[in-house]
Amino acid sequence: MQGHTVSGVSLDPQEISLFNQAHLSNIYKNDFRLDIRDRQELSRAFAKIDPEVIIHLAAQPLVRESYKYPIETFETNVIGTLNVLEATRQLTNLKSSLIITTDKVYKNHNHLRGYVETDELGGDDPYSASKAAADIAAQSWIKSFANSPMAIARAGNVIGGGDWAIDRIVPDLVNAYSTGNLPLLRYPEAVRPWQHVLDCLNGYLSLVDLQLSAGATGEWNFGPEIQKRYSVAELVSTFATNWGVDTQPAWIRDEVSQPYEAGYLLLDSSKARSDLHWKDKLGFEETVKWTVDWYTNPEKLSIRSLCEAQINEFTRL
Ligand SMILES: NC(=O)c1ccc[n+]([C@@H]2O[C@H](COP(=O)([O-])OP(=O)(O)OC[C@H]3O[C@@H](n4cnc5c(N)ncnc54)[C@H](O)[C@@H]3O)[C@@H](O)[C@H]2O)c1
């Protein structure tokens, strides 16, 4: 929609995915389906695309899947990222690359303050540890090889339309409420930096702009304002109200013993706010409402039109 020529490198999409629902294949000049763990294939694809900007999002991004498949999670998130980093070094027209890690890279001390970019990295579950390792690898590439600006973006818990991943809060709520059930919550008291996907992506694009105009590099947090701290239960209640569920609480506590998850996770995004002049445009209530609007789609738009309508509305804010 901004007029760029876009190419993609990914595994095949899941059958039910935003990619298929919104018929996104026709926006791509090149649509490479390959595994980023295959260094040669990836290098060949990058050489064919010859990009000016790379945004590396590919990952095994699910915490609970990482307990089931820890080796594959590390392989994709660490070796895959190393392959991306190395492939960028062969590209002569590359002007910027952005490596997407996560808020979960920080060693979690259940602080009531937000983590800042200089805080220590860590990670208990395999997903967090693998993303922290990918982040450290990218930092090493930034310090060691200076062919073009490379930066790292660490975003908060992203919600919004189009997510169909298993064991994620929003798809779980959609599946439960659309079938007349109440969702099971594993950690209702856990506090997370919820943010709308368009706010997150707006931050990523602002950072790419600063890379292109002024060579910005280093690590950058993107999260909601620090005062906006909401628990899983508050997110679910707001979601349920927007969905029209009248039972309160609109969820059931899952009493089965669950893999560990941190209680408190907040991000301090002062750096992005001051240096990029970025801010989250949608407050918590709007973030949840826009998400529910996407899944309920009251105007029965095509999924592509629904996404474009929300993007257009967002850019007008
Ligand atoms: N969703 C969140 O709340 C959140 C928050 C912070 C950071 N992130 C990060 O954002 C990025 C995107 O996450 P998402 O939530 O959109 O997940 P997603 O599952 O929608 O997207 C992940 C993509 O990676 C691709 N992929 C996975 N393994 C691959 C492999 N071996 N080779 C090639 N492609 C592969 C998948 O095909 C998919 O297109 C990830 O790096 C994730 O860690 C997500």
Side-chain angles (χ1 to χ4, degrees):
M1 290 169 79
Q2 290 187 335
H4 301 295
T5 303
V6 184
S7 295
V9 175
S10 169
L11 297 178
D12 285 331
Q14 307 283 329
E15 197 182 328
I16 300 178
S17 61
L18 180 59
F19 186 89
N20 285 338
Q21 288 183 311
H23 304 292
L24 292 180
S25 59
N26 64 11
I27 68 170
Y28 291 102
K29 181 173 180 207
N30 300 282
D31 176 7
F32 282 99
R33 304 295 172 83
L34 60 85
D35 194 319
I36 60 167
R37 291 175 292 181
D38 186 333
R39 189 181 314 157
Q40 283 187 342
E41 280 282 295
L42 183 67
S43 288
R44 268 198 288 272
F46 276 18
K48 169 94 189 343
I49 297 168
D50 193 20
E52 292 182 331
V53 175
I54 289 178
I55 303 181
H56 169 45
L57 291 141
Q60 191 305 91
L62 303 171
V63 175
R64 286 165 70 87
E65 286 291 288
S66 81
Y67 282 103
K68 280 191 225 155
Y69 307 107
I71 301 294
E72 291 80 356
T73 299
F74 270 88
E75 282 176 351
T76 293
N77 295 357
V78 185
I79 303 297
T81 297
L82 283 168
N83 291 341
V84 170
L85 295 172
E86 187 55 11
T88 63
R89 297 211 295 138
Q90 322 304 329
L91 298 170
T92 46
N93 290 316
L94 188 67
K95 296 188 172 70
S96 102
S97 48
L98 183 59
I99 308 300
I100 306 303
T101 65
T102 167
D103 55 353
K104 295 195 174 60
V105 296
Y106 293 109
K107 189 170 176 59
N108 195 290
H109 300 285
N110 281 316
H111 284 318
L112 298 183
R113 65 165 177 84
Y115 291 91
V116 290
E117 286 83 353
T118 48
D119 275 330
E120 185 188 4
L121 303 194
D124 292 328
D125 62 84
Y127 169 70
S128 305
S130 67
K131 293 294 278 193
D135 198 299
I136 290 168
Q139 291 180 44
S140 163
W141 252 249
I142 290 170
K143 292 196 179 85
S144 309
F145 311 111
N147 56 337
S148 67
M150 179 180 283
I152 299 167
R154 303 168 179 160
N157 280 52
V158 177
I159 62 174
D163 193 352
W164 296 109
I166 47 169
D167 278 336
R168 275 222 181 117
I169 187 74
V170 166
D172 284 354
L173 299 181
V174 172
N175 287 334
Y177 296 146
S178 57
T179 52
N181 295 307
L182 293 181
L184 286 173
L185 298 192
R186 302 183 281 271
Y187 289 101
E189 291 83 18
V191 172
R192 294 286 179 269
W194 311 106
Q195 78 183 145
H196 195 274
V197 62
L198 295 179
D199 269 320
C200 170
L201 298 182
N202 189 33
Y204 293 168
L205 294 180
S206 309
L207 180 48
V208 169
D209 280 345
L210 196 69
Q211 287 183 297
L212 294 174
S213 63
T217 179
E219 304 84 44
W220 300 76
N221 288 345
F222 294 97
E225 273 177 41
I226 207 77
Q227 301 85 338
K228 296 182 192 156
R229 45 186 72 182
Y230 294 93
S231 66
V232 173
E234 286 169 310
L235 172 76
V236 173
S237 298
T238 311
F239 194 100
T241 305
N242 277 281
W243 193 279
V245 177
D246 42 25
T247 324
Q248 285 292 352
W251 50 272
I252 300 167
R253 185 182 292 274
D254 190 346
E255 302 291 354
V256 178
S257 162
Q258 300 293 336
Y260 172 78
E261 286 185 30
Y264 248 89
L265 177 50
L266 296 168
L267 266 191
D268 183 330
S269 312
S270 307
K271 180 177 166 185
R273 285 167 202 280
S274 65
D275 295 8
L276 301 177
H277 308 292
W278 169 84
K279 64 180 170 86
D280 38 329
K281 294 186 186 184
L282 300 179
F284 177 73
E285 298 281 342
E286 288 164 303
T287 293
V288 178
K289 181 176 181 319
W290 282 43
T291 304
V292 172
D293 283 352
W294 192 95
Y295 286 96
T296 51
N297 190 6
E299 291 175 41
K300 303 283 172 254
L301 299 172
S302 74
I303 298 294
R304 179 80 159 260
S305 303
L306 179 60
C307 292
E308 289 177 353
Q310 288 202 332
I311 292 168
N312 282 327
E313 196 177 341
F314 182 86
T315 48
R316 281 194 296 270
L317 292 175

